[in-house]
Amino acid sequence: MRIKPSILVTAIIGSFTISSAFAADPQVATVATGDGVFNIRLGAAYVNMDVANGFGTVVDESDFTFITQPDNGAGISAVGGELSGDYWGPGLGLGGIYLGASILKVSDDNNSVLALPTTGPFPFLDTLPIDGSPSHGAITAGPGAQANVSVDADFHRLAASAGYALPTQTAGTNVALGLYGAYSQLNFDAATKPVGGGGFANLSEDVNVASVGPMVAFQKTVPLTETVEGFIEGQVALLYARGNFDATQSASNISGISLSSHEGDIAGMAEGRAGVSVLAFGGGKLSLFGGLGVRNDVYKIVNPRSEPGLVASNAASYHPGPATIQQTIQYSVSVGAKFAIQF
């Protein structure tokens, strides 16, 4: 188990700094017109994270001595959709409660053309088995030979939280203590096909992650004018994350390889949103918001790769171990609209 406290400390300090940003004037009270408020948000989220370090191929000389790595791996750097909601208010005789849920989905697909070197030793595009065994040989060869590479990365996450809302405010901020849980899935597929025919190499890898742990949620509303109010809200959680990894690989010189593994790590998440109401009607308010998020209950895929000085066909020289997963960091920036119903 790996513990990375730096992201947790940074996230917790940053979120509580944000939650106190509107607390400069102790005379300002939270705007409230009823006992409870239900919020629903719809927005777009830009997500950035590492996905995989390679596609299962390498450029070698005729004796399998390393020339170059034909790719730099893959990541997600794209805009997806996010839907979330929460409730602050009384609940079933338990006093104040907090309930929250969210859905995030994002995809990043890329098609490119790989070209072998035109200078130096005669190049071969060799396969690298995901079980860490020596290379099975080439799927194409020759100076300037090309291959089409198709890469698809899809990520989605479902999250839910529940907690007890403290009966008194902290610095004018509603605070809830409770439990947060999330389930995420990363699907990564890479297909390499030489131009003009020849061999092929396909890679399909999935990472499923379940994370759970204690959570602090916060919400603060500040009147800006008689009809407009600003707000800040979010949550911070300390998590235990367990990632399950499944991978399959096939190629014109590989009959089929499958493997599975898992990892467990201490992780954390922090997300915050700030916005302003733009329209009030009846017991509802329509607001616009922007948000930031950071978390490390996610994993990237680490596939076998060769490097200078190694001979990929020789187990005594090349022994990277099987493909696995490694904890990484995911960043997000979101914008959207919130509809709040107070009752």
Side-chain angles (χ1 to χ4, degrees):
M1 181 182 296
R2 297 180 297 275
I3 299 176
K4 298 186 177 180
S6 59
I7 184 176
L8 305 180
V9 174
T10 301
I12 292 172
I13 292 175
S15 294
F16 278 105
T17 299
I18 292 173
S19 68
S20 301
F22 286 124
D25 184 355
Q27 302 300 316
V28 176
T30 299
V31 174
T33 61
D35 292 332
V37 59
F38 175 73
N39 303 294
I40 185 167
R41 307 174 197 88
L42 178 63
Y46 167 76
V47 177
N48 184 277
M49 65 177 289
D50 292 334
V51 172
N53 69 330
F55 308 153
T57 57
V58 65
V59 179
D60 288 331
E61 298 181 34
S62 60
D63 63 355
F64 290 87
T65 298
F66 177 86
I67 295 178
T68 186
Q69 192 69 44
D71 62 80
N72 294 317
I76 289 178
S77 181
V79 175
E82 187 172 29
L83 174 67
S84 66
D86 58 37
Y87 168 78
W88 291 81
L92 303 175
L94 300 176
I97 63 170
Y98 166 80
L99 300 173
S102 65
I103 302 173
L104 170 70
K105 183 172 178 60
V106 62
S107 299
D108 197 350
D109 304 333
N110 181 55
N111 296 315
S112 61
V113 177
L114 181 159
L116 298 187
T118 57
T119 60
F122 191 92
F124 294 78
L125 183 62
D126 294 333
T127 55
L128 291 179
I130 57 173
D131 60 4
S133 61
S135 174
H136 292 207
I139 59 173
T140 191
Q146 296 182 331
N148 292 315
V149 181
S150 175
V151 178
D152 300 324
D154 301 308
F155 178 87
H156 71 264
R157 177 170 52 242
L158 304 175
S161 52
Y164 170 70
L166 301 183
T168 58
Q169 295 182 335
T170 301
T173 304
N174 297 319
V175 177
L177 306 177
L179 191 68
Y180 174 94
Y183 174 81
S184 66
Q185 185 172 45
L186 172 66
N187 304 117
F188 173 69
D189 295 290
T192 303
K193 179 69 175 177
V195 175
F200 68 90
N202 296 327
L203 192 59
S204 179
E205 298 175 306
D206 300 324
V207 183
N208 302 309
V209 182
S211 54
V212 64
M215 172 267 322
V216 177
F218 60 89
Q219 179 192 60
K220 184 177 180 66
T221 307
V222 175
L224 301 177
T225 69
E226 291 184 359
T227 58
V228 178
E229 62 186 23
F231 66 88
I232 189 163
E233 58 193 13
Q235 55 186 342
V236 181
L238 175 66
L239 305 170
Y240 173 75
R242 179 183 171 89
N244 295 306
F245 175 55
D246 295 290
T248 59
Q249 182 185 34
S250 61
S252 50
N253 54 18
I254 297 176
S255 59
I257 299 174
S258 298
L259 57 83
S260 299
S261 65
H262 62 83
E263 296 287 340
D265 294 277
I266 298 298
M269 64 80 66
E271 59 184 22
R273 291 172 296 274
V276 61
S277 64
V278 294
L279 181 64
F281 48 92
K285 291 185 180 69
L286 179 65
S287 304
L288 300 178
F289 70 85
L292 298 172
V294 59
R295 59 196 304 144
N296 66 342
D297 61 334
V298 290
Y299 290 84
K300 64 181 179 180
I301 300 164
V302 181
N303 289 312
R305 289 169 69 96
S306 190
E307 59 185 50
L310 299 186
V311 179
S313 64
N314 185 350
S317 170
Y318 171 77
H319 42 80
T324 186
I325 54 175
Q326 186 178 82
Q327 190 177 21
T328 190
I329 300 175
Q330 181 187 84
Y331 301 95
S332 63
V333 179
S334 60
V335 293
K338 179 179 80 166
F339 182 66
I341 303 174
Q342 295 178 321
F343 52 89

